[in-house]
Amino acid sequence: MNTGSWTAPTYTEQLLYEAGERGDREAALDALGRTRLYVLLPRLQADVPGHSPPLPHQRDRAGLRTVVPVLTEGMLPPWHPEWVFKQTTLGRLAAAWPNDRWRLAVNPDTPCATVLPARSGDRRAWREAEAHGGGPARLRLLTHAGEHLHGPVAQALALGAHLAVLNGLVWNRLGAQYEDYPSDVSRLRNPWAVHQRSDVRDKVRTLIATRLVGRVPESVLAVRRRLTARQGGPPTAEQWTSAVTETAERDDRWGEDPAEAAEFLRRITHYEHRFRVDGLLPPDGRVDTLAAFDHGRAVNVVRLALGARYVDPQEAERSVLQVLEAARPVYRSWTEFSLGYLLARLIHFDEGDPEPMYQESLAIHHALTQDPSSPYRNIPWS
């Protein structure tokens, strides 16, 4: 994404740069209709319940017109404790636009700057561009060329890449936000019950210790590991089932584990079979642990906490490196890690119609293990 002396941070900025070079407003609209845009605001305003601050506006560099400045994801400045970003889109901007004489300035004063008129007809074109493009894309691998690409921090951030790909967010940044400030704060509260700095440390420690992935399903896999070590090869389905039942009945104090263990055994067996059929596992392959699910989520909790201003970038970097230290000995490769993450995700949410989630998980795994630009293809596991 090099454009002479300037490298576009992500594909979006590359498209905007090329559209600007050609003077192609339609191409710029098409790119903007598919991406998140960000508005800068003081954290004090963002923390006021129910407050919707007006769109920021300023005079352009020449002082000739009033513009509303917004940034694309790749152009956000470094993290600051008192300045945060709120996500928006072309369609939302069109709905909230206050003045026909103002203009929209995307990435002002940069090589990929785009200035759009904002009369009524122009704003209709914004809405159409978003409708045509479908809005910000999910299920995509988004890499920031100016952020962590190699080394331990990049490897640590890659542990959390499944959720980044799922949501179409940059996977390799510890910066101004994860999604945006309101979303980061909200996601920490629910489902993570994180409301302050001390909660972050406690939650990350719990995830590093893999205490949330589930004692029962991990126990089911541990039974198979023990049988395999004892016998010198994997057990039959009957041997595994018998041992799981015996272990659950022996260790159960409340009369709930045997049925739960049997159900997780069924789900694990089902999805491992599907992995083999779809070529994710070899014919004799298996998933030995679900630890990847907690380790991957731990990285994302740290990134959310950074976006919510509960930690600073230095604390966030130390935390993700601690997650990496715990994850490295558990798996031998990125493929093993990814399959552990996928299996945990699938067996925990195997409710109703699980097929859409399976196909979604398959797409994430393929993006991370097959895309030439993926960290799983460019960063050694060990």
Side-chain angles (χ1 to χ4, degrees), residues 1-3 6-15 17 144-146:
M1 288 183 283
N2 193 289
T3 56
W6 181 73
T7 298
T10 78
Y11 186 54
T12 296
E13 290 80 33
Q14 178 71 19
L15 291 176
Y17 175 85
H144 192 300

Side-chain angles (χ1 to χ4, degrees), residues 149-331:
L149 296 172
H150 303 285
V153 175
Q155 185 178 5
L157 291 172
L159 297 174
H162 288 83
L163 276 171
V165 170
L166 173 65
N167 294 304
L169 301 170
V170 168
W171 69 266
N172 64 324
R173 178 172 54 200
L174 287 173
Q177 93 303 317
Y178 181 44
E179 185 168 349
D180 73 346
Y181 180 74
S183 299
D184 294 349
V185 171
S186 176
R187 289 191 184 202
L188 281 175
R189 289 174 179 166
N190 183 22
W192 292 112
V194 170
H195 301 273
Q196 56 190 356
R197 294 174 65 89
S198 60
D199 295 337
V200 178
R201 293 191 296 271
D202 292 342
K203 194 64 65 177
V204 171
R205 278 198 296 264
T206 298
L207 287 163
I208 286 176
T210 64
R211 295 187 192 133
L212 296 184
V213 74
R215 175 182 59 83
V216 175
E218 194 66 30
S219 174
V220 170
L221 291 174
V223 167
R224 184 172 60 181
R225 292 198 303 270
R226 289 194 297 270
L227 287 173
T228 300
R230 186 186 311 154
Q231 299 175 177
T236 65
E238 292 76 15
Q239 289 172 327
W240 189 18
T241 300
S242 176
V244 165
T245 302
E246 180 183 335
T247 301
E249 289 176 345
R250 183 188 67 225
D251 296 343
D252 180 34
R253 287 180 285 174
W254 298 282
E256 298 175 353
D257 281 2
E260 189 178 3
E263 175 59 18
F264 275 120
L265 175 59
R266 182 197 68 79
R267 295 182 185 186
I268 290 167
T269 302
H270 169 73
Y271 285 112
E272 283 188 333
H273 173 71
R274 292 207 64 178
F275 287 174
R276 295 185 193 102
V277 169
D278 290 330
L280 278 65
L281 275 174
D284 59 346
R286 63 184 187 270
V287 175
D288 280 336
T289 175
L290 308 175
F293 197 50
D294 276 0
H295 291 150
R297 292 188 297 172
V299 169
N300 283 279
V301 166
V302 173
R303 294 189 66 190
L304 288 168
L306 182 62
R309 303 318 191 253
Y310 291 157
V311 299
D312 62 34
Q314 291 73 35
E315 292 173 292
E317 184 170 311
R318 287 195 297 270
S319 293
V320 297
L321 288 174
Q322 289 171 358
V323 181
L324 176 62
E325 184 180 355
R328 267 180 174 157
V330 179
Y331 292 95

